[in-house]
Amino acid sequence: MVVGASGAGKTTILNILGGMDSLTSGEVLLDGEKISIFNKKKLTAYRRFDIGFVFQFYNLVQNLTALENVELAAQICKDPLDTMTVLEMAGLKDRAGNFPSQRDSIGAV
Ligand SMILES: Nc1ncnc2c1ncn2[C@@H]1O[C@H](COP(=O)(O)OP(=O)(O)OP(=O)(O)O)[C@@H](O)[C@H]1O
Ligand SMILES: [Mg+2]
């Protein structure tokens, strides 16, 4: 858990660890890799293959169902898991056919 006063740098450190921001001094090592010296291209690969990020204001495609949203993300993965299995693991199997704004299940897909 990252705890700190407002303005302490919580968002900043998470953005750096997520490969979405860079630093002006110091260094950041992750799994022995110095991510703080990664260029844009290496950071893109790092974001795509090495790290996962769940945003508080989730970035789902509104006109795709839950299943389609997962399928979309799986397309840029090297070795994606089965999409339906992933939804099941997240407890969303019954809502695979739902759009992000839909509260209730609309049945099987
Ligand atoms: N280590 C640091 N060195 C220099 N500036 C920093 C550092 N950490 C954070 N800042 C700057 O301080 C400001 C606030 O940081 P940040 O938004 O990360 O704080 P926060 O802990 O997420 O605050 P909040 O609780 O309000 O969300 C930003 O402008 C950021 O650039
Ligand atoms: Mg913050």
Side-chain angles (χ1 to χ4, degrees):
M1 199 192 317
V2 181
V3 183
S6 181
K10 301 183 292 293
T11 300
T12 305
I13 189 68
L14 288 174
N15 284 344
I16 290 170
L17 287 171
M20 292 172 286
D21 201 355
S22 55
L23 39 153
T24 48
S25 64
E27 57 185 32
V28 176
L29 282 112
L30 210 129
D31 271 345
E33 279 252 69
K34 207 182 276 186
I35 65 164
S36 46
I37 55 163
F38 280 7
N39 60 21
K40 244 177 133 180
K41 202 174 166 191
K42 279 197 95 173
L43 277 177
T44 302
Y46 167 75
R47 283 195 301 267
R48 191 165 297 173
F49 303 124
D50 297 332
I51 196 131
F53 229 88
V54 179
F55 293 94
Q56 189 168 4
F57 299 101
Y58 50 82
N59 296 321
L60 295 171
V61 182
Q62 295 300 317
N63 59 348
L64 295 183
T65 63
L67 184 70
E68 289 163 349
N69 265 284
V70 178
E71 279 170 350
L72 181 67
Q75 283 182 15
I76 59 164
C77 287
K78 264 184 198 151
D79 190 14
L81 299 170
D82 173 63
T83 45
M84 206 58 201
T85 307
V86 170
L87 281 177
E88 200 169 347
M89 284 160 70
L92 288 169
K93 190 182 167 212
D94 296 340
R95 303 179 71 175
N98 277 35
F99 293 98
S101 61
Q102 275 178 313
R103 281 173 146 261
D104 303 312
S105 170
I106 54 168
V109 282

